[in-house]
Amino acid sequence: MLPFIQLGPFTLQAPGLALLMGVWLGLSLSEKEAIKLKLDPNQIYNLIFYGLVAGVVGARLGYALQYPRAYLDSPWSLVALTPNTLAPEIGLLFAIIAALIYGKRQKMLLRPTLDALAPGLAAFMVSFGVAHFMSGDAFGAPTKLLWAIYLWDDFRHPSQVYETLAAMIILLVVWRRPLGQRGGGVNFLWVVALSAATRIFLEAFRGDSVIWVGGFRAAQVSGVVVLAASLWLMRRWSHSASTVEEKLIIQTKGDS
């Protein structure tokens, strides 16, 4: 694990750098996909930017509300670049709300916009796994397998490696060969569905899972809900995806 990188007098947090690289790569891929879909790449960039800012602010405020005493003693910690002091669920909610507000004001089409975001989301999931590997978070359950790694006083599944490899496969599949018709929104749903399915499977190898009453793992239950919702939407959208594709073709011919 490599939680910090020392550059002379400066100490950089490696997990934070991995996430920033993921954001940069995700922005690049989404802008390229926007051009293919005849969308304005600047709008896609702004959508992601505002969503990220709102998400980070919301995640930090959410964490601060959970642990107020720590921030009352040190208010400047609110702006510290520490990924571990974030509330991801609250941040995601803030990000979605901000993106929806911006998209509505700019009159952006929902499904083509989601498809433009698909490769960027897949790329960010790869960086998320790398950040976990560097920080030691999302560690695996104890095991005696040959490829086990020694972490937190025990030999464990390299769950962060599993997570990263799975995300890389999803990125390659989605980027090289979209799983749905471009612009129909199905490709984005595939990213969400595959990521949820991966989380359901890989959660069995995690050693830090939140266990609910009855022995259910919280992440697996959430993954099942997300997977079911994605497949349901995919079925509905796939019937009308051809209409969206036809509109894009007509628009392309009109531009030429």
Side-chain angles (χ1 to χ4, degrees):
M1 305 303 159
L2 186 65
F4 301 102
I5 298 176
Q6 193 70 36
L7 294 177
F10 301 102
T11 301
L12 304 178
Q13 294 194 4
L17 289 177
L19 293 177
L20 288 176
M21 288 296 296
V23 170
W24 173 79
L25 179 59
L27 279 170
S28 300
L29 294 181
S30 291
E31 287 179 336
K32 291 180 180 179
E33 189 68 14
I35 295 174
K36 294 179 182 179
L37 294 170
K38 303 300 179 181
L39 301 177
D40 184 354
N42 292 323
Q43 286 187 334
I44 297 297
Y45 177 91
N46 291 333
L47 180 76
I48 297 174
F49 176 77
Y50 291 131
L52 284 174
V53 172
V56 171
V57 172
R60 178 55 54 83
L61 291 178
Y63 189 89
L65 290 175
Q66 297 176 21
Y67 305 97
R69 182 169 298 179
Y71 292 95
L72 289 175
D73 296 337
S74 179
W76 286 107
S77 298
L78 282 170
V79 295
L81 299 176
T82 309
N84 294 333
T85 56
L86 298 173
E89 298 82 4
I90 299 177
L92 179 61
L93 178 61
F94 273 66
I96 292 175
I97 292 175
L100 287 175
I101 292 174
Y102 177 82
K104 186 175 182 179
R105 288 184 175 179
Q106 297 297 318
K107 299 180 179 180
M108 300 174 68
L109 298 176
L110 176 61
R111 297 192 202 177
T113 299
L114 289 178
D115 270 0
L117 297 176
L121 175 61
F124 182 75
M125 295 304 294
V126 175
S127 71
F128 206 60
V130 174
H132 281 160
F133 180 79
M134 291 180 169
S135 66
D137 294 333
F139 55 86
T143 183
K144 295 182 180 180
L145 293 174
L146 294 176
W147 55 84
I149 59 174
Y150 190 76
L151 180 65
W152 309 133
D153 301 324
D154 207 344
F155 286 95
R156 302 179 179 276
H157 280 285
S159 56
Q160 304 96 332
V161 178
Y162 300 161
E163 178 185 3
T164 305
L165 290 177
M168 290 177 65
I169 292 173
I170 294 174
L171 172 60
L172 289 175
V173 170
V174 172
W175 177 243
R176 296 297 299 274
R177 185 188 177 113
L179 299 173
Q181 290 183 326
R182 291 187 184 274
V186 177
N187 203 37
F188 177 84
L189 293 177
W190 269 115
V191 175
V192 176
L194 290 174
S195 298
T198 299
R199 185 64 186 273
I200 294 170
F201 175 73
L202 294 182
E203 191 67 19
F205 303 100
R206 290 274 291 268
D208 63 343
S209 300
V210 177
I211 307 297
W212 285 349
V213 177
F216 296 102
R217 294 174 184 253
Q220 287 183 322
V221 175
S222 301
V224 169
V225 174
V226 172
L227 177 60
S230 301
L231 293 176
W232 178 77
L233 266 179
M234 200 181 301
R235 183 178 180 181
R236 288 178 60 90
W237 286 7
S238 60
H239 293 303
S240 56
S242 56
T243 303
V244 177
E245 184 76 8
E246 289 173 1
K247 290 181 179 179
L248 290 172
I249 293 175
I250 293 173
Q251 181 180 351
T252 303
K253 290 181 177 179
D255 292 341
S256 59

